[in-house]
Amino acid sequence: MTDTHAFPAGFTWGAATSAYQVEGSPLADGAGPSIWHRFSHTPGRVRDGDTGDLACDHYRRFKEDVALMRDLGLKAYRFSVSWSRVFPEGRGRINPAGLSFYERLVDELLKHDIEPFLTLYHWDLPAALDDLGGWLNPSIADWFADYTETMVRALDGRVRKWTTLNEPWVVIDGGYLFGVLAPGHANLYEAPIAAHHLMRAHGAAVRRYRSVGKHEIGLVVNIEPKYPASQSPADLAAVRRANAYMNQWYLDPAFLKRYPPEMREVFGDAWREDWPAEDFDLIGEKIDFLGLNYYTRSVTQADPTVRPLGFRSVHQPQSQYTDTGWEVFPQGLTDTIHQIRTRYGDLPLYITENGCALPEPTSVDVDVFEDPRRVDYLQTHLAAVARAIQEGANVQGYFAWSLLDNFEWAHGYSKRFGLVHCDHQSQRRTWKRSAKLYQQVIATNGRNVLAAR
Ligand code: BGC
């Protein structure tokens, strides 16, 4: 590659986190418990009994963390709001102290010219709403829209980029189908219902945003492109099902106002086809941009013994794998960007998460921690974004996952994704080499990204 100017002027360079993963102090100042608070306090649910009680202590150290972002040169910071800090019971009574935390965070970001990208839901549903059925209760679309309106009225003057849901697929796959994430249900019949109301809630929030907000609102999905393990009809059919299940279940209704037909093959008689047409008008409310989270691909093979999906991923012996067992495959990011554009049209895209977990010590005593594999991951994936842009894609920003090592859900603190190391005992932050690289990338607007490969 010779073109070293792949990233457009004004490209948004950011890093991402989410509330439960970094904040700590989950019940402080009148906040209500979330499903993740309950889940992590249930023995056996999270590795080593880890909880988000302290996490990165960001709730108390946010100013220090914003200073870190400023030193990195971040142009934007993607974070999420904990719904139950603002509405301890999920609806009704507002907790002003909870809302004020996000106002102070946003003000601190703006003070340093860092643009806030606010996610309304990153998996930490108020426990009180789970008691009412959570995403299975059709009323949740109204509850979510009311919460959205409160946040927009408070912050739309200062926040110009909003997103409704982070990764609806994970909410349902982990939370309702397999039960490895909160609220821990494992029920084939519930999953399609919860998914539908989750997307109705997304649509209701977008619709409400149009009546009270003046800026932009989008959706964030995780995409894992599927490549067939062979050209056999069984594997090709498995790839179609895998794509429908993981990559199209939420985007098809959001853009095409229908579910992918393969969903019936995946769910059998648990699949529902009796939803009213107006639900799809709601889910299909126009969004301003789409956020893509990309980590890995799957080489997919048919396997009828895997229930209910009927497929599995095949290990690639020539590839590198990260600490979460995910194959490193940068070309998949370029492919994903193009596939999204082909199927759903040319709306602005942001890479809202990308990164890797590597085995790293819990505490370090150096000025800069060397993480050569993350440096390589970052460079090759940024080059993959640059190629997509050169080939015509409308990618407007990139957010590294994550700013800090944090609470990696059911893995607890055992998986480290940070550009900056976090010692969860001492709360000391230590730059990794990848953070230094990213600082340079941002300072040069990625000018050296392609040249480096
Ligand atoms: C989520 C993050 C998570 C990351 C790494 C994404 O699925 O949005 O919360 O930490 O991937 O697993």
Side-chain angles (χ1 to χ4, degrees), residues 396-411:
Q396 304 205 341
Y398 173 93
F399 292 78
W401 185 271
S402 180
L403 177 69
L404 296 165
D405 295 331
N406 59 44
F407 178 82
E408 179 53 27
W409 306 114
H411 294 293

mmCIF file with all atom_site columns, all heavy atoms in Angstrom, residues 396-411:
data_model
loop_
_atom_site.group_PDB
_atom_site.id
_atom_site.type_symbol
_atom_site.label_atom_id
_atom_site.label_alt_id
_atom_site.label_comp_id
_atom_site.label_asym_id
_atom_site.label_entity_id
_atom_site.label_seq_id
_atom_site.pdbx_PDB_ins_code
_atom_site.Cartn_x
_atom_site.Cartn_y
_atom_site.Cartn_z
_atom_site.occupancy
_atom_site.B_iso_or_equiv
_atom_site.pdbx_formal_charge
_atom_site.auth_seq_id
_atom_site.auth_comp_id
_atom_site.auth_asym_id
_atom_site.auth_atom_id
_atom_site.pdbx_PDB_model_num
ATOM 1   N N   . GLN A 1 396 ? -16.775 6.657   9.779  1.00 0.00 ? 396 GLN A N   1
ATOM 2   C CA  . GLN A 1 396 ? -16.476 7.996   10.301 1.00 0.00 ? 396 GLN A CA  1
ATOM 3   C C   . GLN A 1 396 ? -15.692 7.986   11.598 1.00 0.00 ? 396 GLN A C   1
ATOM 4   O O   . GLN A 1 396 ? -15.278 9.038   12.075 1.00 0.00 ? 396 GLN A O   1
ATOM 5   C CB  . GLN A 1 396 ? -17.777 8.767   10.471 1.00 0.00 ? 396 GLN A CB  1
ATOM 6   C CG  . GLN A 1 396 ? -18.542 8.826   9.163  1.00 0.00 ? 396 GLN A CG  1
ATOM 7   C CD  . GLN A 1 396 ? -19.469 10.011  9.072  1.00 0.00 ? 396 GLN A CD  1
ATOM 8   O OE1 . GLN A 1 396 ? -19.814 10.611  10.069 1.00 0.00 ? 396 GLN A OE1 1
ATOM 9   N NE2 . GLN A 1 396 ? -19.884 10.337  7.857  1.00 0.00 ? 396 GLN A NE2 1
ATOM 10  N N   . GLY A 1 397 ? -15.524 6.806   12.193 1.00 0.00 ? 397 GLY A N   1
ATOM 11  C CA  . GLY A 1 397 ? -14.781 6.798   13.451 1.00 0.00 ? 397 GLY A CA  1
ATOM 12  C C   . GLY A 1 397 ? -14.427 5.395   13.883 1.00 0.00 ? 397 GLY A C   1
ATOM 13  O O   . GLY A 1 397 ? -14.961 4.399   13.356 1.00 0.00 ? 397 GLY A O   1
ATOM 14  N N   . TYR A 1 398 ? -13.536 5.327   14.845 1.00 0.00 ? 398 TYR A N   1
ATOM 15  C CA  . TYR A 1 398 ? -13.046 4.049   15.370 1.00 0.00 ? 398 TYR A CA  1
ATOM 16  C C   . TYR A 1 398 ? -12.868 4.197   16.875 1.00 0.00 ? 398 TYR A C   1
ATOM 17  O O   . TYR A 1 398 ? -12.270 5.180   17.339 1.00 0.00 ? 398 TYR A O   1
ATOM 18  C CB  . TYR A 1 398 ? -11.703 3.713   14.709 1.00 0.00 ? 398 TYR A CB  1
ATOM 19  C CG  . TYR A 1 398 ? -11.007 2.493   15.285 1.00 0.00 ? 398 TYR A CG  1
ATOM 20  C CD1 . TYR A 1 398 ? -11.195 1.234   14.719 1.00 0.00 ? 398 TYR A CD1 1
ATOM 21  C CD2 . TYR A 1 398 ? -10.172 2.604   16.396 1.00 0.00 ? 398 TYR A CD2 1
ATOM 22  C CE1 . TYR A 1 398 ? -10.558 0.105   15.244 1.00 0.00 ? 398 TYR A CE1 1
ATOM 23  C CE2 . TYR A 1 398 ? -9.533  1.480   16.934 1.00 0.00 ? 398 TYR A CE2 1
ATOM 24  C CZ  . TYR A 1 398 ? -9.734  0.244   16.350 1.00 0.00 ? 398 TYR A CZ  1
ATOM 25  O OH  . TYR A 1 398 ? -9.106  -0.865  16.871 1.00 0.00 ? 398 TYR A OH  1
ATOM 26  N N   . PHE A 1 399 ? -13.385 3.230   17.637 1.00 0.00 ? 399 PHE A N   1
ATOM 27  C CA  . PHE A 1 399 ? -13.243 3.229   19.093 1.00 0.00 ? 399 PHE A CA  1
ATOM 28  C C   . PHE A 1 399 ? -12.549 1.937   19.515 1.00 0.00 ? 399 PHE A C   1
ATOM 29  O O   . PHE A 1 399 ? -13.034 0.847   19.217 1.00 0.00 ? 399 PHE A O   1
ATOM 30  C CB  . PHE A 1 399 ? -14.618 3.286   19.774 1.00 0.00 ? 399 PHE A CB  1
ATOM 31  C CG  . PHE A 1 399 ? -15.334 4.590   19.573 1.00 0.00 ? 399 PHE A CG  1
ATOM 32  C CD1 . PHE A 1 399 ? -15.987 4.862   18.378 1.00 0.00 ? 399 PHE A CD1 1
ATOM 33  C CD2 . PHE A 1 399 ? -15.347 5.557   20.572 1.00 0.00 ? 399 PHE A CD2 1
ATOM 34  C CE1 . PHE A 1 399 ? -16.643 6.076   18.182 1.00 0.00 ? 399 PHE A CE1 1
ATOM 35  C CE2 . PHE A 1 399 ? -16.003 6.763   20.397 1.00 0.00 ? 399 PHE A CE2 1
ATOM 36  C CZ  . PHE A 1 399 ? -16.651 7.032   19.190 1.00 0.00 ? 399 PHE A CZ  1
ATOM 37  N N   . ALA A 1 400 ? -11.432 2.090   20.196 1.00 0.00 ? 400 ALA A N   1
ATOM 38  C CA  . ALA A 1 400 ? -10.746 0.903   20.705 1.00 0.00 ? 400 ALA A CA  1
ATOM 39  C C   . ALA A 1 400 ? -11.513 0.372   21.919 1.00 0.00 ? 400 ALA A C   1
ATOM 40  O O   . ALA A 1 400 ? -11.974 1.142   22.756 1.00 0.00 ? 400 ALA A O   1
ATOM 41  C CB  . ALA A 1 400 ? -9.328  1.277   21.121 1.00 0.00 ? 400 ALA A CB  1
ATOM 42  N N   . TRP A 1 401 ? -11.654 -0.935  21.997 1.00 0.00 ? 401 TRP A N   1
ATOM 43  C CA  . TRP A 1 401 ? -12.128 -1.583  23.219 1.00 0.00 ? 401 TRP A CA  1
ATOM 44  C C   . TRP A 1 401 ? -10.917 -2.211  23.861 1.00 0.00 ? 401 TRP A C   1
ATOM 45  O O   . TRP A 1 401 ? -10.339 -3.100  23.289 1.00 0.00 ? 401 TRP A O   1
ATOM 46  C CB  . TRP A 1 401 ? -13.198 -2.648  22.945 1.00 0.00 ? 401 TRP A CB  1
ATOM 47  C CG  . TRP A 1 401 ? -13.704 -3.173  24.271 1.00 0.00 ? 401 TRP A CG  1
ATOM 48  C CD1 . TRP A 1 401 ? -13.201 -4.219  24.985 1.00 0.00 ? 401 TRP A CD1 1
ATOM 49  C CD2 . TRP A 1 401 ? -14.771 -2.613  25.055 1.00 0.00 ? 401 TRP A CD2 1
ATOM 50  N NE1 . TRP A 1 401 ? -13.882 -4.348  26.169 1.00 0.00 ? 401 TRP A NE1 1
ATOM 51  C CE2 . TRP A 1 401 ? -14.843 -3.377  26.232 1.00 0.00 ? 401 TRP A CE2 1
ATOM 52  C CE3 . TRP A 1 401 ? -15.659 -1.547  24.875 1.00 0.00 ? 401 TRP A CE3 1
ATOM 53  C CZ2 . TRP A 1 401 ? -15.777 -3.110  27.241 1.00 0.00 ? 401 TRP A CZ2 1
ATOM 54  C CZ3 . TRP A 1 401 ? -16.580 -1.293  25.877 1.00 0.00 ? 401 TRP A CZ3 1
ATOM 55  C CH2 . TRP A 1 401 ? -16.637 -2.070  27.043 1.00 0.00 ? 401 TRP A CH2 1
ATOM 56  N N   . SER A 1 402 ? -10.469 -1.706  24.999 1.00 0.00 ? 402 SER A N   1
ATOM 57  C CA  . SER A 1 402 ? -11.171 -0.727  25.800 1.00 0.00 ? 402 SER A CA  1
ATOM 58  C C   . SER A 1 402 ? -10.147 0.283   26.308 1.00 0.00 ? 402 SER A C   1
ATOM 59  O O   . SER A 1 402 ? -8.944  0.045   26.233 1.00 0.00 ? 402 SER A O   1
ATOM 60  C CB  . SER A 1 402 ? -11.836 -1.457  26.967 1.00 0.00 ? 402 SER A CB  1
ATOM 61  O OG  . SER A 1 402 ? -12.552 -0.576  27.793 1.00 0.00 ? 402 SER A OG  1
ATOM 62  N N   . LEU A 1 403 ? -10.628 1.368   26.857 1.00 0.00 ? 403 LEU A N   1
ATOM 63  C CA  . LEU A 1 403 ? -9.699  2.323   27.458 1.00 0.00 ? 403 LEU A CA  1
ATOM 64  C C   . LEU A 1 403 ? -8.863  1.637   28.548 1.00 0.00 ? 403 LEU A C   1
ATOM 65  O O   . LEU A 1 403 ? -7.641  1.766   28.593 1.00 0.00 ? 403 LEU A O   1
ATOM 66  C CB  . LEU A 1 403 ? -10.493 3.486   28.072 1.00 0.00 ? 403 LEU A CB  1
ATOM 67  C CG  . LEU A 1 403 ? -9.652  4.527   28.813 1.00 0.00 ? 403 LEU A CG  1
ATOM 68  C CD1 . LEU A 1 403 ? -8.788  5.309   27.842 1.00 0.00 ? 403 LEU A CD1 1
ATOM 69  C CD2 . LEU A 1 403 ? -10.533 5.465   29.620 1.00 0.00 ? 403 LEU A CD2 1
ATOM 70  N N   . LEU A 1 404 ? -9.545  0.894   29.408 1.00 0.00 ? 404 LEU A N   1
ATOM 71  C CA  . LEU A 1 404 ? -8.914  0.284   30.593 1.00 0.00 ? 404 LEU A CA  1
ATOM 72  C C   . LEU A 1 404 ? -9.246  -1.196  30.676 1.00 0.00 ? 404 LEU A C   1
ATOM 73  O O   . LEU A 1 404 ? -10.335 -1.616  30.264 1.00 0.00 ? 404 LEU A O   1
ATOM 74  C CB  . LEU A 1 404 ? -9.507  0.918   31.865 1.00 0.00 ? 404 LEU A CB  1
ATOM 75  C CG  . LEU A 1 404 ? -9.281  2.384   32.131 1.00 0.00 ? 404 LEU A CG  1
ATOM 76  C CD1 . LEU A 1 404 ? -10.249 2.860   33.213 1.00 0.00 ? 404 LEU A CD1 1
ATOM 77  C CD2 . LEU A 1 404 ? -7.850  2.625   32.571 1.00 0.00 ? 404 LEU A CD2 1
ATOM 78  N N   . ASP A 1 405 ? -8.362  -1.983  31.268 1.00 0.00 ? 405 ASP A N   1
ATOM 79  C CA  . ASP A 1 405 ? -8.748  -3.343  31.659 1.00 0.00 ? 405 ASP A CA  1
ATOM 80  C C   . ASP A 1 405 ? -9.951  -3.206  32.580 1.00 0.00 ? 405 ASP A C   1
ATOM 81  O O   . ASP A 1 405 ? -9.935  -2.351  33.487 1.00 0.00 ? 405 ASP A O   1
ATOM 82  C CB  . ASP A 1 405 ? -7.620  -4.016  32.461 1.00 0.00 ? 405 ASP A CB  1
ATOM 83  C CG  . ASP A 1 405 ? -6.362  -4.227  31.623 1.00 0.00 ? 405 ASP A CG  1
ATOM 84  O OD1 . ASP A 1 405 ? -6.481  -4.395  30.401 1.00 0.00 ? 405 ASP A OD1 1
ATOM 85  O OD2 . ASP A 1 405 ? -5.268  -4.247  32.224 1.00 0.00 ? 405 ASP A OD2 1
ATOM 86  N N   . ASN A 1 406 ? -10.971 -4.039  32.386 1.00 0.00 ? 406 ASN A N   1
ATOM 87  C CA  . ASN A 1 406 ? -12.177 -3.849  33.193 1.00 0.00 ? 406 ASN A CA  1
ATOM 88  C C   . ASN A 1 406 ? -12.883 -5.166  33.484 1.00 0.00 ? 406 ASN A C   1
ATOM 89  O O   . ASN A 1 406 ? -12.331 -6.240  33.221 1.00 0.00 ? 406 ASN A O   1
ATOM 90  C CB  . ASN A 1 406 ? -13.086 -2.805  32.521 1.00 0.00 ? 406 ASN A CB  1
ATOM 91  C CG  . ASN A 1 406 ? -13.503 -3.208  31.126 1.00 0.00 ? 406 ASN A CG  1
ATOM 92  O OD1 . ASN A 1 406 ? -13.874 -4.359  30.884 1.00 0.00 ? 406 ASN A OD1 1
ATOM 93  N ND2 . ASN A 1 406 ? -13.426 -2.272  30.179 1.00 0.00 ? 406 ASN A ND2 1
ATOM 94  N N   . PHE A 1 407 ? -14.082 -5.072  34.016 1.00 0.00 ? 407 PHE A N   1
ATOM 95  C CA  . PHE A 1 407 ? -14.866 -6.255  34.391 1.00 0.00 ? 407 PHE A CA  1
ATOM 96  C C   . PHE A 1 407 ? -15.419 -6.904  33.128 1.00 0.00 ? 407 PHE A C   1
ATOM 97  O O   . PHE A 1 407 ? -16.327 -6.360  32.500 1.00 0.00 ? 407 PHE A O   1
ATOM 98  C CB  . PHE A 1 407 ? -16.011 -5.814  35.326 1.00 0.00 ? 407 PHE A CB  1
ATOM 99  C CG  . PHE A 1 407 ? -16.929 -6.922  35.749 1.00 0.00 ? 407 PHE A CG  1
ATOM 100 C CD1 . PHE A 1 407 ? -16.580 -7.770  36.803 1.00 0.00 ? 407 PHE A CD1 1
ATOM 101 C CD2 . PHE A 1 407 ? -18.143 -7.122  35.113 1.00 0.00 ? 407 PHE A CD2 1
ATOM 102 C CE1 . PHE A 1 407 ? -17.429 -8.795  37.200 1.00 0.00 ? 407 PHE A CE1 1
ATOM 103 C CE2 . PHE A 1 407 ? -19.006 -8.141  35.504 1.00 0.00 ? 407 PHE A CE2 1
ATOM 104 C CZ  . PHE A 1 407 ? -18.640 -8.975  36.547 1.00 0.00 ? 407 PHE A CZ  1
ATOM 105 N N   . GLU A 1 408 ? -14.834 -8.040  32.752 1.00 0.00 ? 408 GLU A N   1
ATOM 106 C CA  . GLU A 1 408 ? -15.221 -8.674  31.489 1.00 0.00 ? 408 GLU A CA  1
ATOM 107 C C   . GLU A 1 408 ? -16.351 -9.690  31.745 1.00 0.00 ? 408 GLU A C   1
ATOM 108 O O   . GLU A 1 408 ? -16.211 -10.883 31.571 1.00 0.00 ? 408 GLU A O   1
ATOM 109 C CB  . GLU A 1 408 ? -13.992 -9.295  30.809 1.00 0.00 ? 408 GLU A CB  1
ATOM 110 C CG  . GLU A 1 408 ? -14.236 -10.020 29.498 1.00 0.00 ? 408 GLU A CG  1
ATOM 111 C CD  . GLU A 1 408 ? -14.975 -9.236  28.415 1.00 0.00 ? 408 GLU A CD  1
ATOM 112 O OE1 . GLU A 1 408 ? -14.896 -7.995  28.397 1.00 0.00 ? 408 GLU A OE1 1
ATOM 113 O OE2 . GLU A 1 408 ? -15.638 -9.884  27.604 1.00 0.00 ? 408 GLU A OE2 1
ATOM 114 N N   . TRP A 1 409 ? -17.466 -9.182  32.232 1.00 0.00 ? 409 TRP A N   1
ATOM 115 C CA  . TRP A 1 409 ? -18.698 -9.947  32.399 1.00 0.00 ? 409 TRP A CA  1
ATOM 116 C C   . TRP A 1 409 ? -18.454 -11.276 33.132 1.00 0.00 ? 409 TRP A C   1
ATOM 117 O O   . TRP A 1 409 ? -17.822 -11.265 34.180 1.00 0.00 ? 409 TRP A O   1
ATOM 118 C CB  . TRP A 1 409 ? -19.384 -10.114 31.034 1.00 0.00 ? 409 TRP A CB  1
ATOM 119 C CG  . TRP A 1 409 ? -19.577 -8.756  30.374 1.00 0.00 ? 409 TRP A CG  1
ATOM 120 C CD1 . TRP A 1 409 ? -18.969 -8.304  29.227 1.00 0.00 ? 409 TRP A CD1 1
ATOM 121 C CD2 . TRP A 1 409 ? -20.390 -7.647  30.828 1.00 0.00 ? 409 TRP A CD2 1
ATOM 122 N NE1 . TRP A 1 409 ? -19.351 -7.010  28.945 1.00 0.00 ? 409 TRP A NE1 1
ATOM 123 C CE2 . TRP A 1 409 ? -20.220 -6.580  29.899 1.00 0.00 ? 409 TRP A CE2 1
ATOM 124 C CE3 . TRP A 1 409 ? -21.237 -7.446  31.926 1.00 0.00 ? 409 TRP A CE3 1
ATOM 125 C CZ2 . TRP A 1 409 ? -20.873 -5.351  30.041 1.00 0.00 ? 409 TRP A CZ2 1
ATOM 126 C CZ3 . TRP A 1 409 ? -21.892 -6.212  32.065 1.00 0.00 ? 409 TRP A CZ3 1
ATOM 127 C CH2 . TRP A 1 409 ? -21.706 -5.202  31.129 1.00 0.00 ? 409 TRP A CH2 1
ATOM 128 N N   . ALA A 1 410 ? -18.904 -12.391 32.577 1.00 0.00 ? 410 ALA A N   1
ATOM 129 C CA  . ALA A 1 410 ? -18.781 -13.659 33.314 1.00 0.00 ? 410 ALA A CA  1
ATOM 130 C C   . ALA A 1 410 ? -17.327 -14.091 33.507 1.00 0.00 ? 410 ALA A C   1
ATOM 131 O O   . ALA A 1 410 ? -17.039 -14.978 34.319 1.00 0.00 ? 410 ALA A O   1
ATOM 132 C CB  . ALA A 1 410 ? -19.575 -14.755 32.607 1.00 0.00 ? 410 ALA A CB  1
ATOM 133 N N   . HIS A 1 411 ? -16.397 -13.480 32.778 1.00 0.00 ? 411 HIS A N   1
ATOM 134 C CA  . HIS A 1 411 ? -14.968 -13.776 32.982 1.00 0.00 ? 411 HIS A CA  1
ATOM 135 C C   . HIS A 1 411 ? -14.392 -12.967 34.149 1.00 0.00 ? 411 HIS A C   1
ATOM 136 O O   . HIS A 1 411 ? -13.196 -13.099 34.448 1.00 0.00 ? 411 HIS A O   1
ATOM 137 C CB  . HIS A 1 411 ? -14.150 -13.424 31.732 1.00 0.00 ? 411 HIS A CB  1
ATOM 138 C CG  . HIS A 1 411 ? -14.456 -14.269 30.540 1.00 0.00 ? 411 HIS A CG  1
ATOM 139 N ND1 . HIS A 1 411 ? -14.162 -15.608 30.481 1.00 0.00 ? 411 HIS A ND1 1
ATOM 140 C CD2 . HIS A 1 411 ? -15.027 -13.956 29.342 1.00 0.00 ? 411 HIS A CD2 1
ATOM 141 C CE1 . HIS A 1 411 ? -14.537 -16.090 29.307 1.00 0.00 ? 411 HIS A CE1 1
ATOM 142 N NE2 . HIS A 1 411 ? -15.071 -15.113 28.600 1.00 0.00 ? 411 HIS A NE2 1
#
